[in-house]
């Protein structure tokens, strides 16, 4: 009983006093101190006084500012970027931005503008980007011309514009992007295009306008970076109207929410009179496709035929030796040989992604593509019991291969012997059967990026990653380890060049202190969504300046002897852990608050224990773990009782001693 009483007294004496300190700033979110702030959707009617004068980037959308005047943002003289999306702005008065000499981007998207004063944009010395999307504009004369000499991009999408005729002296010399998508433009005349002759390498977007007519020669005097006519129902009108024009890229595709357009080979005759390097024809259907369809495609360097209902490309296509990139995504090939790759001998980039039918890789279907550097065959239900040398025959220059999201693949030793120059290999979400103890990657000495996430790997094979001497980035997310732990000897030991390691969602319970000792160059370690405790941090003690993600684990307490390991890292994420906010963890809690600049996800780094502080942000907790006033009282009482007990004990011993002399 006395022992229980003494223990109770000690607990009371050294009990912790805990309280939460809630933040008083419920307004704008600071993204970068004294520089970048988000004040969106806060119901504000003016700029908060809490914003510093040094603010450069301000997101102020979804508030209420019906009128902009020269006093609205006058205090924020350092503004570079200002987003006022959907602030219900009707009026923009004279000299609204007169004090903002550094301002280069103004976003007025989604505001029902009634009036913009002619000098409303005066002030910025180099205004480069202006967004007037969905503002109700129907006439380009509504846009103030003053101070737009340096404008590089003008975004006018989703308005009611029917003519692109600018005022005669509208400054377009420096324009690089002019966006008219989703307006009501149906006809383009030479007069409309005249003011744009000053611009060079302009990207011009008419997507969603359904152009019905183009005056011959309207585009003759310009050299364009890109032209977009997506959603136009009659492509022959566009191709005839673009005769003798020059553009690097021509986008003629359709959209998911529109019916696929049926095209005929004759419609492409107009391409013979257009100088163009890249064409996108996604979501069309060429009803009479043949080798003659491609007669005017001979100068192309890039061709996108995504979702063209193709089950083969015709044989006998000639003259396409300039083509470097071919996209055949979301079609219906049964076998890779049906693309007739030999017709495109200069290809360096080929994508057959998301094939609708189960795609058979065949044997040597791509062997004529000796220059191929990038190959994407992901999401195509590919299955092969013995991959991939026969299928990738003669692709010695291949640098990037994507076989992710496919059916099971069997890999033998040196499975990629035909592709010794691979630098990137993506096998994510593809079940891999490894046949034999040797590594299927052992000849890939140049490989730098390997994605093996969710591949159901046998991670107990310590030789699985042998030979990857230059590997920098390894993703093993979603694979499981034996006994839910990474031991001292493991498959990672040979990867001495590794810089980025992702082991999230691997169901890990424990990592041996020596598990990563050979990985001296690590700069990014992701261990999130496991069941690791704080002691696993010890495995990183030899590393400095890394990004460490241990979010969503089972960390309650981080021992004080591990704080030096955390101190030497650059960025840490401990969010969504059941952290202990009692005196048992006071060293970590104190250190955390002193090093908040190191942490990301602080908003979700919260206490789980004690119950009184559950859900409170760790940065708002204050622990007092010294002796309380009550504790001092009980300590005095305890010491007094001990002293009395000691005195009586001494007297008893002395009396007993003298009685037995």
């Amino acid at each position: 009983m006395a022992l229980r009483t003494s223990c109770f007294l000690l607990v009371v004496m050294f009990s912790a006093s805990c309280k939460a300190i809630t933040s008083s700033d419920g307004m704008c979110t600071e993204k970068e101190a004294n520089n970048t702030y988000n004040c969106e959707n806060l119901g504000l009617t003016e700029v908060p006084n809490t914003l510093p004068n040094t603010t450069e980037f301000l997101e102020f959308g979804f508030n209420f500012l019906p009128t902009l005047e020269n006093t609205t943002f006058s205090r924020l003289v350092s503004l570079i970027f200002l987003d006022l999306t959907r602030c219900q702005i009707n009026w923009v008065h004279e000299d609204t931005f007169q004090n903002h000499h550094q301002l280069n981007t103004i976003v007025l998207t989604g505001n029902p503008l009634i009036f913009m004063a002619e000098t409303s944009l005066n002030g910025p010395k180099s205004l480069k980007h202006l967004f007037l999307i969905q503002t109700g504009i129907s006439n380009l004369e509504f846009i103030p011309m003053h101070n737009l000499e340096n404008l590089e991009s003008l975004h006018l999408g989703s308005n009611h514009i029917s003519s692109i005729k600018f005022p005669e002296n509208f400054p377009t010399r420096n324009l690089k992007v002019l966006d008219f998508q989703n307006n009501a433009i149906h006809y383009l005349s030479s007069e409309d295009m005249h003011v744009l002759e000053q611009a060079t390498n302009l990207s011009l977007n008419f997507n969603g306008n359904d152009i019905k007519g183009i005056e011959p020669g309207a585009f003759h005097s310009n050299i364009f970076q890109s032209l977009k006519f997506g959603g136009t129902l009659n492509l022959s009108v566009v191709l005839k109207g673009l005769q003798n024009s020059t553009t690097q890229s021509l986008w003629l595709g359709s959209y998911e929410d529109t019916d696929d357009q049926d095209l005929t080979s004759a419609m492409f005759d107009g391409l013979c009179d257009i100088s163009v390097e890249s064409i996108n024809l996604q979501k069309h259907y060429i009803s009479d496709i043949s080798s003659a369809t491609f007669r005017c495609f001979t100068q192309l360097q890039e061709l996108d035929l995504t979702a063209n209902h193709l089950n083969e490309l015709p044989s006998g296509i000639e003259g396409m030796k300039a083509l470097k990139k071919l996209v055949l995504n979301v079609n219906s090939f049964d076998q890779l040989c049906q693309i007739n790759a030999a017709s495109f001998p200069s290809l360096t980039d080929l994508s057959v992604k998301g094939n609708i039918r189960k795609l058979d890789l065949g044997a040597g279907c791509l062997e004529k593509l000796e220059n191929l550097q990038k190959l994407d065959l992901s999401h195509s239900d590919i299955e092969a019991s013995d991959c991939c040398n026969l299928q990738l025959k003669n692709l010695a220059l291949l640098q990037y291969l994507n076989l992710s999201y496919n059916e099971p693949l069997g890999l033998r030793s040196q499975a990629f012997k035909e592709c010794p120059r691979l630098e990137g290999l993506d096998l994510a979400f593809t079940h891999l059967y490894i046949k034999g103890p040797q590594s299927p990657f052992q000849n890939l000495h140049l490989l730098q990026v390997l994605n093996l996430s969710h591949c159901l790997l046998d991670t107990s094979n310590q030789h699985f990653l042998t030979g990857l001497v230059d590997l920098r980035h390894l993703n093993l997310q979603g694979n499981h380890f034996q006994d839910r732990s990474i031991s001292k000897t493991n498959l990672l030991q040979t990867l001495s060049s590794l810089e980025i390691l992702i082991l999230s969602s691997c169901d890990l319970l424990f990592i041996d202190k020596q598990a990563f000792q050979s990985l001296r160059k690590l700069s990014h370690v992701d261990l999130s969504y496991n069941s690791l405790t704080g002691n696993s941090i010890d495995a990183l003690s030899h590393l400095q300046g890394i990004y460490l993600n241990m979010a969503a684990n089972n960390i309650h307490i981080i021992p004080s002897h591990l704080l030096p390991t955390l101190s030497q890292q650059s960025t840490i994420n401990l969010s969504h852990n059941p952290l202990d906010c009692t005196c048992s963890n006071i060293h970590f809690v104190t250190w955390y608050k002193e090093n908040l600049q190191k942490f990301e996800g602080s908003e979700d780094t919260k206490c789980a224990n004690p119950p009184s502080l559950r859900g409170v942000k760790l940065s708002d907790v204050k622990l007092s773990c010294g002796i309380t006033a009550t504790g001092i009282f009980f300590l005095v009482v305890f010491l007094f009782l001990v002293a009395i007990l000691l005195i009586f004990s001494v007297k008893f011993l002395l009396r007993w001693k003298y009685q037995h002399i």
Side-chain angles (χ1 to χ4, degrees):
M1 183 69 181
L3 179 61
R4 291 182 180 177
T5 304
S6 298
C7 290
F8 171 75
L9 289 171
L10 289 172
V11 169
V12 173
M13 285 189 293
F14 294 98
S15 61
S17 172
C18 308
K19 64 178 180 179
I21 301 174
T22 56
S23 173
S24 60
D25 183 12
M27 300 292 284
C28 302
T29 302
E30 183 179 78
K31 291 186 172 181
E32 183 179 338
N34 299 318
N35 181 274
T36 305
Y37 293 85
N38 186 322
C39 301
E40 291 182 338
N41 203 26
L42 295 175
L44 300 174
T45 58
E46 61 181 11
V47 176
N49 293 327
T50 53
L51 282 183
N53 296 344
T54 55
T55 300
E56 295 182 357
F57 298 87
L58 178 59
E59 296 171 344
F60 204 81
F62 301 92
N63 287 298
F64 185 66
L65 293 173
T67 301
L68 297 185
E69 301 176 341
N70 58 12
T71 57
T72 308
F73 298 98
S74 59
R75 184 172 58 81
L76 306 179
V77 295
S78 299
L79 279 177
I80 295 175
F81 175 93
L82 178 60
D83 186 348
L84 299 173
T85 297
R86 302 195 188 284
C87 283
Q88 302 180 53
I89 299 168
N90 299 131
W91 303 83
V92 185
H93 289 285
E94 292 83 355
D95 304 321
T96 293
F97 304 105
Q98 64 177 352
N99 298 318
H100 304 95
H101 303 308
Q102 301 179 62
L103 190 62
N104 71 19
T105 302
I106 300 175
V107 182
L108 294 171
T109 297
N111 288 289
L113 297 177
I114 296 173
F115 172 76
M116 291 186 74
E118 192 61 35
T119 60
S120 59
L121 300 177
N122 281 5
K125 293 183 178 180
S126 186
L127 184 62
K128 294 184 177 180
H129 310 288
L130 180 59
F131 291 78
L132 295 171
I133 301 168
Q134 220 172 32
T135 50
I137 295 175
S138 59
N139 193 315
L140 296 181
E141 293 183 356
F142 178 86
I143 304 170
M145 293 173 51
H146 281 246
N147 200 35
L148 297 183
E149 292 79 11
N150 297 303
L151 200 65
E152 294 182 3
S153 70
L154 178 57
H155 301 264
L156 298 166
S158 300
N159 282 297
H160 308 294
I161 299 168
S162 58
S163 169
I164 69 164
K165 185 176 181 181
F166 281 97
E168 184 63 31
N169 296 318
F170 194 91
T172 60
R173 181 178 300 276
N174 292 307
L175 267 183
K176 300 300 179 187
V177 176
L178 182 53
D179 189 346
F180 286 108
Q181 65 178 317
N182 297 322
N183 275 281
I185 301 166
H186 300 303
Y187 185 77
L188 300 171
S189 68
S190 297
E191 185 180 4
D192 293 340
M193 298 294 298
H194 173 68
V195 72
L196 299 179
E197 291 179 2
Q198 305 173 55
T200 56
N201 293 319
L202 179 66
S203 293
L204 192 52
N205 189 347
F206 292 112
N207 284 346
N209 280 281
D210 189 19
I211 303 298
K212 299 181 183 300
I214 299 176
E215 184 177 348
F219 289 81
H220 177 62
S221 301
N222 298 66
I223 297 177
F224 295 93
Q225 178 69 25
S226 71
L227 292 172
K228 295 183 178 182
F229 292 92
T232 298
L233 297 179
N234 191 346
L235 287 187
S236 59
V237 169
V238 173
L239 294 176
K240 288 179 181 178
L242 294 179
Q243 285 185 354
N244 300 317
S245 64
T246 301
T247 179
Q248 182 171 327
S249 173
L250 181 58
W251 206 94
L252 301 172
S254 189
Y255 300 105
E256 290 293 337
D257 58 349
T258 59
D259 294 333
D260 296 356
Q261 301 300 309
D262 290 351
L263 306 179
T264 62
S265 297
M267 287 184 176
F268 296 109
D269 290 346
L271 276 177
C272 288
D273 299 315
I274 303 173
S275 177
V276 57
E277 296 180 3
S278 172
I279 289 183
N280 185 305
L281 291 168
Q282 73 171 36
K283 274 190 71 50
H284 286 299
Y285 173 62
I286 305 174
S287 57
D288 59 345
I289 189 168
S290 67
S291 58
T293 305
F294 299 88
R295 182 177 64 86
C296 295
F297 287 59
T298 54
Q299 61 180 323
L300 290 182
Q301 295 185 26
E302 297 184 10
L303 175 60
D304 191 333
L305 296 174
T306 294
N308 271 217
H309 306 275
L310 298 171
N311 50 41
E312 67 174 344
L313 285 180
S315 59
I317 297 175
E318 297 178 351
M320 296 196 67
K321 295 182 179 180
L323 195 69
K324 302 291 185 183
K325 181 177 181 179
L326 177 60
V327 180
L328 297 170
N329 299 339
V330 199
N331 282 294
S332 301
F333 303 107
D334 289 313
Q335 192 184 63
L336 195 55
C337 289
Q338 290 174 330
I339 72 170
N340 286 298
S343 299
F344 317 103
S346 300
L347 277 187
T348 59
D349 189 337
L350 173 63
S351 181
V352 190
K353 177 181 178 181
N355 198 64
I356 295 172
R357 298 177 183 173
K358 189 180 186 71
L359 184 64
D360 181 1
L361 291 180
C365 295
L366 306 178
E367 63 180 329
K368 298 297 184 181
L369 304 182
E370 298 178 353
N371 298 304
L372 197 64
Q373 297 177 15
K374 184 176 181 181
L375 176 61
D376 190 344
L377 298 170
S378 60
H379 296 268
S380 294
D381 288 329
I382 294 170
E383 185 174 2
S385 59
D386 190 1
C387 189
C388 296
N389 285 323
L390 190 62
Q391 296 87 342
L392 303 179
K393 184 180 178 181
N394 206 33
L395 301 185
L397 298 182
L398 196 66
Q399 296 178 5
Y400 174 80
L401 173 62
N402 191 344
L403 285 167
S404 63
Y405 293 89
N406 280 303
E407 295 301 310
L409 297 178
L411 301 180
R412 297 184 184 275
S413 174
Q414 298 192 49
F416 301 93
K417 188 177 181 179
E418 291 286 333
C419 315
R421 295 180 179 270
L422 275 181
E423 296 179 9
L425 177 58
D426 191 345
L427 294 164
F429 289 89
T430 298
H431 186 183
L432 301 180
Y433 290 103
I434 310 304
K435 300 184 176 182
Q438 299 302 314
S439 170
F441 314 114
Q442 59 186 343
N443 69 303
L444 300 181
H445 304 309
L446 302 179
L447 195 69
Q448 296 187 19
V449 180
L450 177 58
N451 188 349
L452 296 172
S453 59
H454 300 277
C455 286
L456 301 178
L457 297 176
D458 175 13
T459 55
S460 63
N461 182 357
Q462 296 182 26
H463 303 290
F464 179 62
L465 299 174
T466 301
L468 300 176
V469 295
D470 202 31
L471 192 66
R472 312 291 177 84
H473 183 137
L474 175 62
N475 189 342
L476 291 174
Q477 177 183 358
N479 291 290
H480 291 178
F481 288 75
Q482 190 173 10
D483 299 326
R484 300 178 68 186
S485 65
I486 302 179
S487 60
K488 180 179 178 180
T489 55
N490 58 73
L491 76 170
L492 303 172
Q493 290 182 311
T494 60
L495 306 177
S496 57
S497 297
L498 200 63
E499 297 175 2
I500 298 174
L501 176 60
I502 300 174
L503 291 168
S504 59
S505 303
C506 289
D507 200 29
L508 291 170
L509 283 174
F510 173 73
I511 300 176
D512 188 274
K513 182 179 179 180
Q514 304 294 321
F516 301 147
Q517 278 300 311
S518 61
L519 309 180
R520 297 282 174 174
K521 295 183 179 180
L522 281 178
S523 61
H524 180 117
V525 179
D526 187 348
L527 297 168
S528 60
Y529 293 92
N530 285 292
S531 299
L532 298 169
T533 63
N535 289 322
S536 296
I537 295 171
D538 209 13
L540 308 168
S541 59
H542 63 294
L543 299 172
Q544 294 184 3
I546 72 169
Y547 168 88
L548 174 60
N549 188 353
M550 294 193 73
N553 273 280
N554 194 32
I555 299 173
H556 294 269
I557 293 175
I558 296 180
S560 57
H561 73 275
L562 294 179
L563 295 182
T565 298
L566 291 180
S567 296
Q568 61 196 25
Q569 313 313 338
S570 62
T571 305
I572 305 166
N573 190 333
L574 294 174
S575 61
H576 302 289
N577 274 288
L579 294 168
D580 197 330
C581 295
T582 65
C583 288
S584 301
N585 206 22
I586 188 171
H587 295 292
F588 169 69
V589 173
T590 303
W591 178 86
Y592 174 87
K593 295 174 68 174
E594 292 172 351
N595 293 272
L596 278 174
Q597 74 282 357
K598 284 182 175 290
F599 287 86
E600 70 172 17
S602 297
E603 293 294 316
D604 295 309
T605 305
K606 299 176 181 180
C607 302
N609 188 48
S612 60
L613 292 178
R614 184 174 294 132
V616 175
K617 289 193 298 183
L618 197 62
S619 57
D620 291 342
V621 171
K622 183 177 181 181
L623 294 179
S624 298
C625 295
I627 303 177
T628 63
T630 304
I632 293 174
F633 171 76
F634 279 102
L635 178 61
V636 172
V637 172
F638 177 75
L639 292 175
F640 178 72
L641 293 174
V642 170
I644 292 175
L645 182 61
L646 184 62
I647 291 171
F648 277 98
S649 297
V650 170
K651 288 178 68 176
F652 174 78
L653 287 172
L654 289 174
R655 181 181 299 174
W656 182 85
K657 182 177 181 181
Y658 283 115
Q659 286 177 349
H660 291 80
I661 291 176

